[in-house]
Amino acid sequence: MLIEQTDLAEVLVLTPRSYRDRRGFFFESYNKRAFAEAAGADFEFVQDNHSRSKRGVLRGLHYQLPPKAQGKLVRVAAGEIFDVAVDMRRTSATFGHWVGVVLSARKRNQLWVPPGFAHGFLTLSPTADVLYKATDYYDPASERSVIWNDPDIGIDWNLAAEPILSDKDAAAPPLAAAEAFGTTDGR
């Protein structure tokens, strides 16, 4: 597995080795031991999620507060997305900073978004199937979001048109008003 650091040290890009032959391909999308070594901790995944979105759909920026904070291991099974993580830990030197990576079924790359970070993505292909493993269960009472276009965060979505948003995402608060994590370890 190829592990790439991002500008936010805890956020990683993981690309599994893929084996091709005349029949097609095979790759190991998740290996607990290899992931724990890459992430520097033994996270337990308790929920798998799958979303399908059409081109121009922007989902996020979502996160859950402690004690239900979620880490997410995100990959694309079909299509391509621009995937983003934002540091939501107020005591972190990188609070409010973001990283973005193009994830695609063709590349088979994945983004590790640890607890303490908001997550969102923009669909770049006609449709995209996004799969992600979560380290805690979805909890509506803990769920929070921050507005996708907050100038204090400054994400460069490279948009050609206004994105397609849910009503909830369109009404999300800016970073300055968002509830955030109190420590750098996502608590």
Side-chain angles (χ1 to χ4, degrees):
M1 179 180 309
L2 174 65
I3 313 297
E4 298 172 66
Q5 292 291 136
T6 67
D7 289 341
L8 298 175
E10 299 90 341
V11 179
L12 303 171
V13 179
L14 302 104
T15 306
R17 288 189 176 90
S18 183
Y19 304 94
R20 289 189 156 282
D21 64 20
R22 70 185 193 292
R23 301 168 297 164
F25 69 85
F26 169 85
F27 72 98
E28 190 174 74
S29 64
Y30 175 73
N31 177 299
K32 183 175 177 66
R33 184 176 43 231
F35 179 76
E37 186 176 311
D42 190 10
F43 290 95
E44 179 183 2
F45 292 105
V46 300
Q47 183 175 318
D48 282 356
N49 299 313
H50 184 153
S51 73
R52 175 173 291 154
S53 301
K54 62 183 183 178
R55 186 188 315 272
V57 167
L58 194 152
R59 295 182 184 260
L61 302 160
H62 305 145
Y63 60 101
Q64 286 186 185
L65 292 173
K68 297 292 186 182
Q70 289 181 318
K72 297 175 182 175
L73 182 59
V74 185
R75 72 183 185 96
V76 175
E80 184 175 75
I81 64 171
F82 181 61
D83 205 32
V84 173
V86 178
D87 191 342
M88 295 299 295
R89 302 167 303 163
R90 287 207 186 276
T91 58
S92 169
T94 56
F95 173 68
H97 293 204
W98 67 278
V99 294
V101 176
V102 174
L103 300 181
S104 72
R106 184 184 54 76
K107 292 186 206 175
R108 298 182 189 90
N109 55 342
Q110 303 174 45
L111 189 66
W112 166 237
V113 181
F117 290 76
H119 172 251
F121 67 86
L122 173 67
T123 305
L124 303 175
S125 52
T127 61
D129 281 6
V130 178
L131 308 172
Y132 58 97
K133 303 177 101 42
T135 60
D136 208 332
Y137 299 102
Y138 171 68
D139 182 58
S142 301
E143 182 183 29
R144 299 293 186 274
S145 58
V146 65
I147 193 73
W148 66 276
N149 60 352
D150 187 322
D152 289 338
I153 300 172
I155 298 170
D156 181 5
W157 294 100
N158 197 23
L159 291 167
E162 281 297 306
I164 302 164
L165 304 169
S166 70
D167 291 343
K168 181 176 73 173
D169 289 349
L175 181 66
E179 288 182 74
F181 295 78
T183 64
T184 58
D185 67 357
R187 290 187 215 149

